[in-house]
Structures are given as structure tokens and as C-alpha cells.
């Protein structure tokens, strides 16, 4: 008998796996905080005999090297990966015995595309393929993106990704479980993947890479590639050189005076509380990255790399969870931290800004057209008839639909483009509210008057705002009432 335990790394949209028999097991693509992996193995009562990397990761810092060192496991890394530490170099067709009593063998299968050296691992039980750890090659309903290594290699890698997916589908039984590392919200995925366990047979009838010819697939894949988080630039080199062990002990405690001094020095002070609490009262100059959102992805994406970070959390548990997320993307140690009530973090009291819905935005436009409207948010009338409406979604989201007259600055570019936001009150929106809260905090920190729209984008049209679709749809209006907003 064998088992496979899935370790979800929800904040990054990734997964790791512990698989084995009654005595020994292997770990595939472990996260940097290896204590959770060791705990799962301990509950299983198994020895970690192998740690396997499918590739040198570009989206997070691996815990593989440290896990192998701590447990004494053999560290399997594709032979083509350029790394500066000792490992077992794995080549196509190599086999290792995971648990002899259980008849478990791991077989390497070269699957270039996500990276040139990418390798999948087939878990065989008594000679039958029962699962394949596909890493960033064949994902659930999609494939890993091919553009993270070198722009000049992207099309070649896209074609190799196609060939690798077809190799997996052609060589493995339909019943083989497909277990990818990426795809559950990860930006390493070229499309959206769900969280269900899939099989080779299921992918054959649902995955576009297995249903289209190579030229069509490659053209559509390249056309659909989204923005790449800036911090990815640092992940590959960190993994190739060998990440250091992590330190998850609590940071030094900062009082209000120290927080003020760090802000004055230009450091980033991050408030981890939910966006509702932040909007109601926060330290002037602090930024809101919700601990329950995609904290690691967006903070690592936006912050100037290496800038000191101070974390403000509602509780020690929230702080500890945030530290764990951040070490996974190379933000190793906060400079300082504080927990508890926000009143204790500020020397001169707290500041706030209003939140609103798209219906409030529509009503706001009507107010300045001469119609009296009772707003639900405390926003004083402005001398100009229309507020600035700032859309901070990504280009791909904007291409599908946008509010007529809105200004578009994707969130990940906003820190360096704050000067492009026109004067006046700024109503910020995204697709659901989390990114709008980040953007509103960035603007508020530099003294701008902001309103954070905490609402789903699908409510914009229903609220009476003009929502236009992509020009390829002839710029047709999704909803066409009289109300308009202008940026």
C-alpha cells in the first residue's frame, strides 16, 4: 500500500507532496518552511528517504536543500539544472526505490517546457504507474508558463511544453493521478486550474494542450501569458545557490516611536489586518496587505527588493503566519513587528479613509450632476463633477471589461506611477476589493484623498456604470445607462 499527502501552500497557489509506504517516503517540491513537512512525515511514522525537485523554481524559495540536510535524505535535482550545491543529478529514465516493502519506485521523466531541465517523477507501485508528480509541466486543465527563464527561449519552451504534455499522456495509463506543483492560483500557471485531483485520462479530454495542434496551442499560450511578479527575478538565483535555513522566531517588538522612525526613514510598515479594519483606522504612512489575502505574492511583487519591513498584526498568530508566508518568497526577517490594538502603534493618533461600493460610485456621479443622493459613505462633495476612477487590475482583466472613463494603472506598477494619478479624490477598484485596498493605502500614504471600492467588479454594470468590453467585441456596452464616470 502507498499514500500520498498533499501540502497546500495556499498563499502562493502551490502544492507539495509527501508520498511513500509504511516505512519510507519522498517529498516533491517542498516549501521553504520545512517544519510542516517533517510534522506530516512524523504523523505518518515514515522516514523521508528522498527529496525531489521537478525544477529550479522561479516563484518561491525551496526548502529542498535544507530538508535533505536535516533528514539525511538524498536530494534529487534534474541534471540539467545549474546549481552550486551537491545533489543527486537526475536524468531521464533514472529510477530510485522509495520503499521496497511497498514496491514503490520513483522514475524520472524529462518534461522540458516550464524550464529547459524540467523533470516529472512517476510513482510506480509494483511496476504500475499510480501517480505522476508533474511540477510545472502538465497542470490541471492547463500547463506551466514557458516565459520565466529567458524571453528568447519562450516560444521554444512553449513547443517543448506541448511535447512534454503529450509524452506524459502517451506513456502513462489513463488512471495515473496527475499531481502538479503549480496551478492553484499560482502565477507560474499559464491559465486557471482548479483544486481537484486529476488523472491522465481526465486531462486527455479537458486540457487544451492535449486537444489542439501544436501551432494553435503555442499561439494561444503565448497570447494568454499574464504579468510576471517582479520578485520571480530573485527566486531562481536563490534556489540555484542554495537557500539558507529559515528563522521563524518572533521579530523584535517595535513601539510607536520606532514605527514612526522607520516610516520617516522610508521603510515599509505593513498592516496585516483585514481591509475593513485598516480603512477605519491605521498608522499614517502604513500600507495594507491583508494576511488572509495573497500576502506573499503582492508584498514581494511591490516592495523594492531588500527594503526593511515592519509588520503590524492583530495577534501573534497572525504575525507568525505572515512570517511563514514571507520566508517562502525570500523576505526572511522582518526588521520589527507589533501586535495588538492599532492605537498603540501610532504617536499622533490614527488616520482613515472611506470604503464604498460601485453603487456608491454611480451615485457619486449623480450628486454632482445636480441630483441629491444620500451616500452610504462619508465623502464630502468635490468642486469637480467627476471623481478619478482608478482601475488597478492586470492588463488581462482590463482587456475583458472596464468602466468607461476609468484610469488604468495595474497594482504592481502603481508604486512607481503614483505621479500619474490626476489630482482630486480617487476611487480605487479591482476585481473584488483586496488589491483596491492595497492601492488605496499606497495613495493615502502619500497624502492623496482616496475611496476604496470594496465590491465585486460584476456589480459595476448593475450599479448603473457604463462597462465596456474589449474592442474585439466591437466595444459593445455591457450596460448603457446615463451615468458615466471619468478619470
Amino acid at each position: 500500500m502507498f499514500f500520498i499527502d498533499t501540502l497546500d501552500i495556499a498563499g502562493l497557489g502551490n502544492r507539495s507532496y509527501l508520498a511513500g509506504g509504511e516505512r519510507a517516503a519522498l517529498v516533491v517540491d517542498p516549501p521553504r518552511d520545512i517544519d510542516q513537512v517533517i510534522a506530516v512525515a512524523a504523523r505518518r511514522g515514515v522516514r523521508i528517504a528522498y527529496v525531489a525537485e521537478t525544477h529550479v523554481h522561479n516563484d518561491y524559495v525551496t526548502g529542498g536543500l535544507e530538508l535533505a540536510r536535516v533528514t539525511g535524505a538524498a536530494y534529487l535535482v534534474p541534471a540539467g539544472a545549474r546549481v552550486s550545491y551537491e545533489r543527486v543529478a537526475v536524468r531521464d529514465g533514472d529510477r530510485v526505490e522509495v520503499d521496497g516493502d511497498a514496491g514503490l519506485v520513483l522514475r524520472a521523466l524529462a518534461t522540458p517546457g516550464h524550464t529547459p531541465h524540467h523533470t516529472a517523477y512517476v510513482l510506480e507501485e509494483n511496476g504500475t504507474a499510480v501517480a505522476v508528480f508533474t511540477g510545472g509541466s502538465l497542470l490541471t486543465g492547463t500547463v506551466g508558463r514557458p516565459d520565466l527563464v529567458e524571453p528568447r527561449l519562450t516560444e521554444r519552451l512553449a513547443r517543448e511544453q506541448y511535447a512534454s504534455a503529450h509524452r506524459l499522456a502517451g506513456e502513462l495509463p489513463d488512471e495515473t493521478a496527475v499531481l502538479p506543483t503549480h496551478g492553484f492560483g499560482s502565477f507560474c500557471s499559464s491559465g486557471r486550474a482548479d483544486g481537484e485531483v486529476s488523472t491522465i485520462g481526465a486531462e486527455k479530454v479537458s486540457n487544451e494542450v492535449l486537444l489542439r495542434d501544436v501551432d494553435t496551442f503555442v499561439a494561444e499560450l503565448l497570447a494568454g501569458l499574464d504579468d510576471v511578479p517582479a520578485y520571480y527575478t530573485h527566486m531562481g538565483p536563490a534556489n540555484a545557490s542554495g537557500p539558507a535555513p529559515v528563522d521563524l522566531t518572533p521579530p523584535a517588538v517595535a513601539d510607536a516611536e520606532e514605527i514612526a522612525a522607520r516610516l520617516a526613514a522610508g521603510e515599509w510598515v505593513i498592516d496585516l489586518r483585514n481591509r475593513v479594519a485598516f480603512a477605519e483606522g491605521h498608522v499614517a504612512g502604513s500600507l495594507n496587505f491583508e494576511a488572509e489575502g495573497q500576502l506573499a505574492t503582492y508584498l514581494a511583487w511591490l516592495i523594492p527588493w531588500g527594503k526593511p519591513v515592519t509588520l503590524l498584526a492583530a495577534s501573534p498568530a497572525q504575525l507568525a503566519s505572515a512570517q511563514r508566508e514571507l520566508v517562502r518568497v525570500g523576505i526572511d526577517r522582518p526588521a520589527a513587528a507589533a501586535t495588538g490594538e492599532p492605537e498603540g502603534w501610532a504617536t499622533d493618533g490614527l488616520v482613515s479613509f472611506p470604503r464604498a461600493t460601485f453603487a456608491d460610485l454611480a451615485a457619486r456621479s449623480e450628486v454632482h450632476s445636480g441630483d441629491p443622493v444620500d451616500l452610504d459613505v462619508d465623502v464630502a462633495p468635490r468642486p469637480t463633477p467627476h471623481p478619478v476612477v482608478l482601475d488597478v487590475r492586470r492588463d488581462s482583466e482590463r482587456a475583458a471589461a472596464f468602466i468607461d472613463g476609468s484610469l488604468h494603472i495595474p497594482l504592481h506598477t502603481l508604486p512607481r506611477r503614483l505621479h500619474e494619478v490626476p489630482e482630486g479624490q480617487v476611487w480605487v477598484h479591482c476585481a473584488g476589493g483586496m488589491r483596491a485596498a492595497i492601492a488605496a493605502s499606497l495613495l493615502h500614504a502619500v497624502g492623496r484623498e482616496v475611496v476604496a471600492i470594496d465590491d465585486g467588479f460584476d456589480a459595476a454594470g448593475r450599479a448603473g456604470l457604463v462597462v465596456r468590453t474589449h474592442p474585439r467585441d466591437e466595444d459593445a456596452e455591457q450596460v448603457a445607462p446615463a451615468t458615466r464616470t471619468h478619470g
Side-chain angles (χ1 to χ4, degrees):
M1 292 292 293
F2 71 94
F3 72 87
I4 299 176
D5 289 336
T6 300
L7 289 79
D8 278 304
I9 316 300
L12 296 177
N14 287 334
R15 285 181 174 178
S16 179
Y17 303 93
L18 175 75
E22 292 186 359
R23 297 185 178 182
L26 71 117
V27 179
V28 180
D29 291 344
R32 194 176 183 195
D33 47 325
I34 62 172
D35 57 327
Q36 61 174 314
V37 182
I38 293 172
V40 174
R43 287 195 293 270
R44 282 283 185 181
V46 295
R47 175 178 62 90
I48 297 176
Y50 295 96
V51 177
E53 301 282 10
T54 57
H55 60 295
V56 174
H57 304 281
N58 289 293
D59 64 326
Y60 68 93
V61 182
T62 181
L65 182 63
E66 179 66 5
L67 182 60
R69 185 190 69 80
V70 168
T71 62
Y75 192 26
L76 311 181
V77 178
R82 296 181 179 178
V83 297
S84 59
Y85 44 79
E86 291 186 8
R87 88 288 194 197
V88 177
V90 177
R91 294 174 174 80
D92 187 45
D94 284 355
R95 303 166 69 89
V96 296
E97 183 178 85
V98 177
D99 189 317
D101 292 346
L104 294 179
V105 170
L106 194 69
R107 174 167 60 92
L109 198 158
T111 49
H114 187 50
T115 66
H117 60 265
H118 192 284
T119 299
Y121 296 95
V122 180
L123 183 65
E124 299 177 347
E125 182 186 37
N126 297 319
T128 299
V130 292
V132 56
F133 302 102
T134 57
S137 54
L138 184 66
L139 310 185
T140 308
T142 183
V143 295
R145 58 193 303 169
D147 61 328
L148 302 180
V149 177
E150 155 62 55
R152 291 171 295 183
L153 298 178
T154 298
E155 182 172 352
R156 192 195 86 188
L157 289 175
R159 292 182 179 276
E160 290 182 351
Q161 190 74 300
Y162 180 92
S164 292
H166 281 260
R167 181 185 185 189
L168 288 166
E171 294 188 13
L172 299 177
D174 284 355
E175 298 77 20
T176 308
V178 174
L179 302 174
T181 299
H182 305 307
F184 312 98
S186 166
F187 281 87
C188 258
S189 168
S190 65
R192 184 171 182 83
D194 61 37
E196 299 301 318
V197 174
S198 187
T199 64
I200 290 293
E203 294 306 305
K204 284 181 177 179
V205 298
S206 63
N207 198 314
E208 294 297 329
V209 70
L210 301 175
L211 298 174
R212 299 191 181 280
D213 65 87
V214 61
D215 291 332
T216 301
F217 169 77
V218 169
E220 292 181 353
L221 176 64
L222 299 183
L225 292 173
D226 211 335
D227 302 299
V228 178
Y231 71 91
Y232 278 22
T233 302
H234 307 281
M235 300 298 96
N239 289 324
S241 62
V246 300
D247 179 2
L248 293 176
T249 58
V253 177
D255 59 18
E257 287 71 22
E258 182 179 349
I259 292 170
R262 290 188 176 280
L263 283 167
E267 297 181 11
W268 278 32
V269 173
I270 305 302
D271 192 325
L272 300 167
R273 296 174 301 146
N274 70 71
R275 57 185 180 266
V276 176
F278 180 86
E280 290 175 349
H282 58 271
V283 177
S286 63
L287 306 176
N288 184 214
F289 289 79
E290 291 180 307
E292 290 74 23
Q294 290 180 284
L295 167 66
T297 294
Y298 283 102
L299 179 54
W301 197 340
L302 270 65
I303 193 170
W305 198 251
K307 182 176 284 292
V309 174
T310 295
L311 300 179
L312 308 179
S315 67
Q318 187 180 68
L319 173 61
S321 176
Q323 283 185 257
R324 185 175 291 274
E325 280 202 49
L326 294 178
V327 298
R328 295 170 182 161
V329 292
I331 301 177
D332 285 6
R333 289 292 295 168
T339 60
E341 297 300 323
E343 288 79 8
W345 305 337
T347 56
D348 298 315
L350 303 177
V351 296
S352 63
F353 56 75
R355 295 166 49 252
T357 65
F358 283 109
D360 295 324
L361 176 59
R364 174 68 169 77
S365 297
E366 293 172 357
V367 164
H368 296 292
S369 296
D371 300 322
V373 176
D374 183 18
L375 286 177
D376 292 331
V377 293
D378 183 18
V379 181
R382 300 287 298 171
T384 54
H386 301 291
V388 176
V389 179
L390 176 62
D391 179 353
V392 297
R393 298 173 302 155
R394 296 188 300 278
D395 290 342
S396 59
E397 298 171 280
R398 175 83 174 185
F402 60 92
I403 296 174
D404 188 40
S406 61
L407 172 68
H408 181 224
I409 301 179
L411 175 61
H412 61 275
T413 70
L414 185 60
R416 65 177 183 272
R417 298 177 61 187
L418 291 170
H419 64 281
E420 297 180 26
V421 182
E423 293 298 318
Q425 190 179 77
V426 185
W427 291 58
V428 191
H429 84 84
C430 59
M434 180 193 73
R435 287 173 292 171
I438 297 172
S441 73
L442 286 164
L443 287 159
H444 200 241
V446 296
R448 297 301 302 272
E449 183 184 1
V450 297
V451 179
I453 299 178
D454 196 354
D455 202 358
F457 184 73
D458 57 357
R462 295 196 303 269
L465 298 166
V466 175
V467 176
R468 295 191 178 276
T469 57
H470 191 271
R472 66 186 176 191
D473 294 327
E474 298 179 354
D475 206 27
E477 292 184 2
Q478 177 176 311
V479 179
T483 307
R484 291 180 178 269
T485 62
H486 298 271

